[in-house]
Amino acid sequence: MIDKIKGNNNKPPDLRKKGDDNDIMKRVKGLVDKLTGTRKEPSKKPGKRPMPRPRLRVGKKEEKPRLKPPKKPPERKLGLAPPGKPPSRGMRPKIPEEDQRTLVGAIVFGIIIIIIVASGYYFLVYQPYQQTLQAAKDQKIAEVDAYFKGPLATDPQKQAILAEIDSGQTPEEVLAVDVLGPATKSWRRYQTQEINTKKDKFNRVMVVYNVTENGNQSESKRVIMKASDAQKIVNEADATVLANMVIQTPDTVAVPIMISRLQAAGGLIGVGSMVDVYLNVNQTGNNTTVTSQETTPKISGATVLAILRAKDSGSVDASILRSQNISINTMTSGMSMEKKTTTDVEQLLRAAAAGGLSEEDIRAILQNYGIRLSDYERAANLGELDATYLVILEVPRDDVPFLIQNMNSIILTVPTQNAPEWMIRELHKIYG
């Protein structure tokens, strides 16, 4: 027994039983069948089929047994266990820990790459594009607010344009929205109604607009004009002008001002002339004189209602001769009477007013005396430059304080569009 344990050829003793190999193989096979779910029941040998017993013959003909068609087994769907059997729970193969770490790292790296790409697209493409689109919309909305303001702030056309701007998908589509055209149509319709309702009994209107001088704060200007001229401006201007123009009923005042001949447009203006009023400001300091003149008139379209020259503006010799001759055959008879006076214009006017001279004759002599005198001086290139004029101007009521305070610094000018007859003739001669 000891020899069997020790072995004869110095070999280790074989303590395994003879049936151990078969048992181990069966166990491994059974474990594989459990993992793969292919475990089968042990096959049984079919037993001997018993012979059918002989049947007794009866008078009737024996019917042959009919064989029933075999039933088809139910189709087995993939992934589902056969009916009647619980699904087998196979053992999932375990992934190594290193592979798990590699897989998790790859997933995290992919997520980071996706986040970086999405962030780059958002900040480099999407956000700048949206900013450009919003800037285009803001620009168009500001343009709409600049044109549709004041009485047209609630115009239905404004809401339609804003909806069109908001629905734009690209900056080009937004910037292509037309704002000026619809705004011009709306303003022309509104300003035409204002002209018809605001004109006075002289068929005039006053146009109020704002002017900015040298980048300073805007200043309000007023122009009195005929209703037909105002309508012409409305028909020709667009919304950039019409939106900043207000039509009002003229509220004017006749203001007398005493100015020199230089200030009174050289004395070449007459009753009914349309003049513009400019301000000439002389600033003196550090032994220097700086003249500041504005490019736009302070008052536009003022009307000259009357103009008077000082009484020392000259003298006149008035001579009136009356004669009567009677001739009978060879006899002649004559009678003459002459009235002659030499005085200045003021004295002659006083004599006419006192009834010392014929009013009709004085009127014929002195009719348009001042205008004729200025015309003669202009034609002769010789005139009295030191003459003083009293001019009565019709201006808006709000401009009266300006005229009174700056009487010594204003200058009257004659716009060529409203030039007197003599100026029109001269322009035709010069320019053909």
Side-chain angles (χ1 to χ4, degrees):
M1 191 67 176
I2 295 173
D3 296 336
K4 289 181 180 180
I5 294 174
K6 291 182 177 181
N8 295 329
N9 298 325
N10 295 329
K11 295 181 180 180
D14 187 6
L15 300 179
R16 295 178 295 177
K17 294 181 179 181
K18 294 181 179 180
D20 289 345
D21 295 337
N22 296 330
D23 295 338
I24 291 173
M25 294 301 294
K26 289 181 180 179
R27 290 178 184 177
V28 172
K29 186 177 181 181
L31 181 60
V32 172
D33 292 340
K34 287 182 181 180
L35 291 175
T36 58
T38 57
R39 182 176 182 181
K40 297 181 180 180
E41 296 292 335
S43 61
K44 295 181 180 180
K45 294 182 179 180
K48 294 182 179 180
R49 184 176 181 182
M51 296 298 291
R53 294 180 181 181
R55 295 184 181 181
L56 297 178
R57 291 184 179 181
V58 192
K60 294 181 181 181
K61 188 176 181 180
E62 185 179 359
E63 295 179 359
K64 295 181 179 180
R66 296 180 179 179
L67 298 177
K68 295 182 180 181
K71 295 182 180 180
K72 295 182 180 181
E75 295 181 359
R76 186 176 179 181
K77 297 181 179 180
L78 297 177
L80 297 178
K85 294 182 179 180
S88 60
R89 297 180 180 177
M91 296 179 61
R92 296 181 180 178
K94 187 176 180 181
I95 302 175
E97 187 176 356
E98 294 181 357
D99 295 342
Q100 290 182 0
R101 291 178 181 177
T102 303
L103 181 61
V104 171
I107 294 173
V108 173
F109 181 75
I111 294 174
I112 294 174
I113 293 297
I114 293 173
I115 293 175
I116 292 175
V117 172
S119 302
Y121 175 79
Y122 178 80
F123 289 106
L124 299 178
V125 179
Y126 181 78
Q127 188 177 16
Y129 182 80
Q130 291 298 322
Q131 291 177 353
T132 304
L133 178 60
Q134 189 61 39
K137 290 184 178 181
D138 294 341
Q139 178 182 349
K140 277 296 178 180
I141 291 174
E143 185 179 354
V144 171
D145 293 337
Y147 290 151
F148 290 91
K149 61 182 180 180
L152 296 186
T154 58
D155 189 76
Q157 191 68 29
K158 178 181 179 181
Q159 305 303 326
I161 296 175
L162 289 176
E164 186 179 358
I165 293 173
D166 187 62
S167 62
Q169 300 297 327
T170 61
E172 293 77 12
E173 183 179 351
V174 172
L175 295 175
V177 176
D178 185 16
V179 180
L180 183 61
T184 300
K185 293 180 181 179
S186 299
W187 274 112
R188 284 178 180 174
R189 182 172 58 254
Y190 174 79
Q191 296 292 16
T192 300
Q193 296 175 357
E194 288 292 293
I195 291 174
N196 295 330
T197 57
K198 297 297 180 62
K199 61 183 178 182
D200 62 359
K201 60 182 180 180
F202 306 111
N203 201 24
R204 303 178 305 173
V205 293
M206 182 168 64
V207 179
V208 182
Y209 60 96
N210 295 326
V211 175
T212 303
E213 289 290 342
N214 299 326
N216 298 328
Q217 188 176 1
S218 61
E219 185 178 358
S220 179
K221 301 290 184 179
R222 301 170 185 85
V223 181
I224 299 174
M225 63 179 64
K226 297 180 181 179
S228 59
D229 295 338
Q231 186 63 52
K232 185 177 180 181
I233 293 176
V234 170
N235 294 336
E236 295 178 354
D238 56 8
T240 56
V241 176
L242 299 178
N244 300 310
M245 186 175 70
V246 179
I247 305 295
Q248 296 180 356
T249 302
D251 182 16
T252 58
V253 176
V255 183
I257 55 175
M258 184 70 71
I259 55 179
S260 64
R261 182 166 189 168
L262 177 63
Q263 294 175 274
L268 301 177
I269 56 176
V271 176
S273 298
M274 303 290 292
V275 295
D276 294 336
V277 181
Y278 285 83
L279 179 63
N280 184 14
V281 180
N282 295 326
Q283 299 176 355
T284 305
N286 297 328
N287 297 326
T288 59
T289 301
V290 179
T291 302
S292 174
Q293 294 181 349
E294 297 181 354
T295 57
T296 58
K298 287 291 184 179
I299 304 174
S300 298
T303 305
V304 178
L305 300 179
I307 180 169
L308 305 177
R309 294 177 63 143
K311 69 176 184 178
D312 55 351
S313 299
S315 60
V316 62
D317 293 337
S319 177
I320 301 175
L321 176 62
R322 292 182 180 179
S323 62
Q324 182 180 5
N325 295 323
I326 300 174
S327 176
I328 300 175
N329 294 332
T330 58
M331 298 177 60
T332 13
S333 174
M335 182 181 64
S336 64
M337 181 179 62
E338 182 180 1
K339 292 182 179 180
K340 186 176 181 181
T341 177
T342 302
T343 181
D344 56 18
V345 178
E346 180 67 18
Q347 295 297 327
L348 184 59
L349 295 178
R350 290 180 180 180
L357 295 176
S358 173
E359 184 175 353
E360 295 179 0
D361 296 337
I362 297 299
R363 184 181 297 275
I365 294 174
L366 298 178
Q367 184 178 10
N368 296 328
Y369 169 76
I371 298 176
R372 289 180 179 178
L373 179 60
S374 299
D375 288 342
Y376 288 141
E377 290 176 341
R378 177 176 54 82
N381 297 327
L382 182 65
E384 186 179 0
L385 302 181
D386 295 333
T388 305
Y389 290 82
L390 176 65
V391 181
I392 299 178
L393 288 180
E394 182 191 18
V395 296
R397 187 182 299 272
D398 296 337
D399 294 328
V400 173
F402 168 77
L403 279 178
I404 296 175
Q405 296 173 3
N406 300 280
M407 187 181 305
N408 296 327
S409 302
I410 62 173
I411 296 178
L412 306 183
T413 60
V414 181
T416 55
Q417 298 297 328
N418 298 318
E421 292 296 332
W422 68 266
M423 188 177 294
I424 295 175
R425 291 195 301 269
E426 295 296 333
L427 290 174
H428 280 301
K429 290 179 181 179
I430 296 173
Y431 298 102

